[in-house]
Structures are given as structure tokens and as C-alpha cells.
Amino acid sequence: MVKISRSAFDRIIQACEQELAESQVEPSYRAKVRWHVFAGFNKRPPLKEIASMLSVTPRALTRRLASEGVTFRELAHEVRMELTAHHLRCSRLSVDQIAELMGFSCASSLRRAIRNWSGSAAGTIREPQPPSAARRINTNQFAAKAVSRVIARS
């Protein structure tokens, strides 16, 4: 594991933000809404609140999401199910505890929702699975490269 100081971490974050700003890549409204729903999942922010954070009206946000082929409710559900699947894979919490944490009325509701969303039973998701090719990122290598870039710029 790579250990870095807080000041080095802050410089890395600043460099990443600067690089992102210079790239002139504008995330879609779908991505922006997903990020806000994910970041505020414990509070479950309503459409109106997220629209305000994005400096648009709720109706404009609804139209922009519709133009991208998705609704706010679908995105919120998608985030909820991804977080639920993550808890099933990575935590030692029982299905009952995960159901309560994620706002399901009971464990059977969670199991039904997982089956409808993924096509797999909750127990299947819980079993260890080999990492997919898309997720094979060595975080130590990634962090080391980011640190070396910041140090090289200093």
C-alpha cells in the first residue's frame, strides 16, 4: 500500500481536478444525477434538491434525463441496486441487515428486487466471484503513477 502525506494527497487531487477541467469533458446529466444520488444516498435526495444542485429546474432536469433515455426514478433505483449488490458482495452483514440499511421493507423484498435487477439470486451475488477484466485495476500502481505525476510537476 502506498502511503502519502495529506499535502501530497491534496496536490494530487488538485492536479486531477485541473486535468479534468482542461480536458473540457462535460459529464452527461445522467452521470451528474447518478453521482448526486450516490453521494447523498443516506439522505435520499429528491429530484428537486438535485436539480437545485445542478442549477436547473426540476422540469428541465426531467427533460434532459428523458433526452438521455432515463428517468430520475430509474437512476435512483439503479444506484440503490448497485449499492445493495456491493453490500452483498463485500460486507459480512446479513441479508436482513442489508435490507434495513438499503431501505427495503424486508429481506424478501431485497431478494426479489435483486433477482429482478440482476437475474441472479442474492445468494449467488454474495458468493465470491473473480474480478472482471474491467475492474482489474491495481490501485497501488494507479496511486503511484498519480503521485509521480504530481511530484514531477513540483
Side-chain angles (χ1 to χ4, degrees):
M1 176 186 227
V2 176
K3 291 188 179 193
I4 58 173
S5 69
R6 180 66 188 181
S7 62
F9 176 77
D10 290 340
R11 287 195 315 257
I12 292 168
I13 295 298
Q14 185 179 14
C16 290
E17 288 174 350
Q18 182 180 352
E19 218 171 285
L20 179 62
E22 290 170 0
S23 71
Q24 297 179 354
V25 173
E26 182 65 27
S28 66
Y29 271 89
R30 177 186 187 123
K32 291 176 186 179
V33 170
R34 273 183 57 83
W35 186 89
H36 283 289
V37 169
F38 182 80
F41 188 77
N42 290 337
K43 296 182 291 178
R44 309 253 164 87
L47 173 72
K48 185 177 180 179
E49 188 177 318
I50 291 178
S52 174
M53 288 183 228
L54 296 173
S55 302
V56 297
T57 65
R59 179 68 187 123
L61 181 56
T62 301
R63 281 194 312 269
R64 288 180 179 163
L65 289 174
S67 74
E68 294 179 19
V70 70
T71 67
F72 178 78
R73 180 175 277 181
E74 290 169 341
L75 286 176
H77 179 70
E78 190 177 288
V79 168
R80 181 183 192 197
M81 297 312 299
E82 287 173 9
L83 287 170
T84 301
H86 172 77
H87 282 294
L88 285 169
R89 278 191 303 273
C90 300
S91 78
R92 294 178 185 228
L93 297 173
S94 70
V95 174
D96 287 326
Q97 290 170 316
I98 294 171
E100 184 177 336
L101 176 69
M102 300 308 296
F104 290 95
S105 59
C106 61
S108 63
S109 294
L110 178 146
R111 286 183 182 99
R112 186 172 38 257
I114 283 289
R115 191 176 306 110
N116 290 338
W117 177 70
S118 70
S120 301
T124 305
I125 290 174
R126 182 146 252 187
E127 293 172 3
Q129 299 175 2
S132 69
R135 293 187 180 157
R136 289 185 190 146
I137 298 173
N138 184 331
T139 54
N140 287 339
Q141 287 177 344
F142 180 75
K145 286 179 184 177
V147 168
S148 64
R149 276 160 98 207
V150 169
I151 292 170
R153 288 183 184 175
S154 299

